[in-house]
Amino acid sequence: MNYSMLALAAGFVLDLIFGDPRWMYHPVCVIGKLIASLERKIRRIFPKTKGGELAGGFLEVVLVCLLCAGIPLVILYAAYAIMPWLGFALETYWCYQLLATKSLRDESMKVYDRLKNGTLEEARYAVSMIVGRDTESLTEDGVTKAAVETVAENASDGIIAPMLYMAVGGVPLMFLYKAVNTMDSMLGYKNDKYLYFGRCAAKLDDIVNYIPARVSGWLMVAATLFTGMDTKNAAKIYRRDRRNHASPNSAQTEAAMAGALQVQLAGNAYYFGKLYEKPTIGDAIRPVEAEDIKRANRLLYGTAVLGVIIFLALRAAAAALTGF
C-alpha cells in the first residue's frame, strides 16, 4: 500500500477523533477566497453578455482547478523528495482537514440539542448554520428533516466523494474535488448573477459527483446491515426515489437515508423567500422525530467506516495486481 493510502487511513482516523482543526485556517476557506478573487477579476475582463459570462465562468473553472490541484501536487512532490515521512505527514494532515465526518455530526447534533433542551427558535438558528433553505418558519418536524437531509447529502459531498478521489489520485485529486464542490456552492445558482457565469461550475460538479453519489447511496444501504436499520426499505426507497431531485446526485443518499429511517424527507421548501415545489423522498411509515438526527449520524458513521475500508481494500488489491 502506498503512502497516499496510509495517509487516507490516518487522516480518516484523525477526522473521527478531532474533527475540523478550527484553530487553523481551513483549506476550503482558502479555495473560497481564491474563487471570489478570480471571479471579481474575470468579471472585469469579460463582457456582461451571455457569451461573455459563459466564457468567464469557463476560465474561472479552469484556473481554480489548475491552481487547487497543481499547488498541492508540487508541494507534495517536493515534500516526498526531501523526505518520505514529511510527504506522508503533510498528505495525512490535508486529508484530515478535507474530510468532514465528525464536524458534520457535531453541527447536526447542535440542532438535536436545541430541539431537546432549547427552544424551536434556537433549533431553527442551529439548522440555519448547515442548510441553504429559509428556516424562520420551519416546524419542529421541518427542522429535524432539514438536519437529517443535510447529514445524508453531505455523507457523499463531505466524506465518501473526497475519500474516493483520494483513493484514486491522492490528496491533489481530493483538493481538485473540493475545489469543484466549492465552486458549485458559490457560483452554481440559477439566478441573474450566476445563470451563465456559474453554469460550467455547476455542470462540472454534477459530473464529478455522479459516481461518488451512487457509491455513497449503496454504501449507505449496506451500512444499515450493521447499524440496526431497515435494510430492505433502504434498498427499496433508494431504487425508487434516488432521482427525486433537480440535481442528478442529491437524492441518492437522501433516498437511502429516508428508507433506512422509515421516514419521508424532502418536499417543498423556501429559498430566499420563494417557495420551490420539490418531490418527497421516502414513505412516512412513521413520523419524523428528533431522535432521527442521532440515527442519521449513526448511519453516517457506518457509511464512512465501510467506505474507507472498501476503498483501502480495492486500492491495495489494485496495487498488488499492477505494482503501483
Side-chain angles (χ1 to χ4, degrees):
M1 189 179 295
N2 62 23
Y3 283 115
S4 290
M5 297 316 296
L6 291 173
L8 172 57
F12 178 72
V13 171
L14 287 174
D15 177 54
L16 290 184
I17 296 171
F18 299 110
D20 280 344
R22 298 185 184 278
W23 51 274
M24 282 198 71
Y25 206 62
H26 200 281
V28 173
C29 294
V30 178
I31 293 171
K33 285 188 176 295
L34 172 66
I35 293 168
S37 176
L38 285 174
E39 180 188 353
R40 288 192 297 270
K41 291 177 174 62
I42 289 171
R43 283 187 181 277
R44 287 198 291 265
I45 298 170
F46 286 85
K48 291 178 173 59
T49 61
K50 177 182 176 180
E53 295 268 300
L54 288 171
F58 176 76
L59 179 60
E60 170 103 9
V61 168
V62 171
L63 291 176
V64 170
C65 288
L66 285 174
L67 291 169
C68 290
I71 292 173
L73 179 63
V74 170
I75 294 173
L76 271 180
Y77 182 84
Y80 275 115
I82 294 168
M83 202 170 294
W85 69 262
L86 179 61
F88 167 70
L90 182 58
E91 199 163 13
T92 296
Y93 185 71
W94 274 340
C95 174
Y96 155 50
Q97 284 190 301
L98 292 174
L99 291 177
T101 316
K102 188 174 186 295
S103 64
L104 181 56
R105 176 193 176 278
D106 289 347
E107 293 304 312
S108 60
M109 286 303 293
K110 290 177 183 177
V111 181
Y112 173 81
D113 177 70
R114 292 301 84 200
L115 285 170
K116 301 295 285 186
N117 304 309
T119 66
L120 179 57
E121 192 63 35
E122 290 172 337
R124 287 170 177 162
Y125 176 77
V127 82
S128 74
M129 296 293 101
I130 58 174
V131 300
R133 74 191 67 179
D134 297 346
T135 61
E136 294 85 358
S137 60
L138 288 180
T139 63
E140 182 173 328
D141 286 355
V143 169
T144 303
K145 283 185 179 182
V148 170
E149 290 163 16
T150 297
V151 171
E153 186 174 353
N154 284 281
S156 178
D157 292 358
I159 304 164
I160 299 300
M163 288 198 304
L164 176 58
Y165 279 105
M166 183 168 178
V168 173
V171 153
L173 200 58
M174 195 182 199
F175 264 102
L176 178 62
Y177 170 77
K178 295 303 292 185
V180 173
N181 201 234
T182 307
M183 276 192 289
D184 180 59
S185 68
M186 294 178 65
L187 310 176
Y189 295 102
K190 294 181 179 179
N191 56 24
D192 291 341
K193 184 176 182 180
Y194 291 112
L195 181 61
Y196 300 119
F197 190 88
R199 182 172 294 179
C200 183
K203 294 298 183 184
L204 182 58
D205 186 73
D206 286 344
I207 293 169
V208 301
N209 276 301
Y210 190 85
I211 291 175
R214 284 147 185 81
V215 170
S216 299
W218 280 116
L219 283 172
M220 191 169 283
V221 171
T224 62
L225 292 168
F226 54 91
T227 53
M229 298 184 191
D230 192 335
T231 304
K232 183 178 179 181
N233 198 53
K236 170 190 168 184
I237 300 301
Y238 175 70
R239 287 193 296 265
R240 191 191 76 189
D241 292 352
R242 60 182 176 172
R243 297 180 182 88
N244 286 8
H245 200 283
S247 163
N249 303 316
S250 294
Q252 300 288 322
T253 45
E254 284 188 44
M257 180 70 76
L261 298 180
Q262 302 179 333
V263 299
Q264 189 173 82
L265 300 175
N268 297 346
Y270 282 89
Y271 294 85
F272 305 106
K274 182 180 178 181
L275 175 64
Y276 287 79
E277 295 185 358
K278 301 162 67 176
T280 57
I281 296 173
D283 296 326
I285 297 173
R286 62 174 182 80
V288 69
E289 59 184 7
E291 293 299 319
D292 286 319
I293 299 175
K294 293 180 72 173
R295 297 182 185 112
N297 279 302
R298 187 164 80 244
L299 187 55
L300 169 76
Y301 269 57
T303 303
V305 170
L306 183 61
V308 76
I309 290 171
I310 290 176
F311 296 154
L312 289 171
L314 290 176
R315 188 65 182 84
L321 289 172
T322 64
F324 293 102

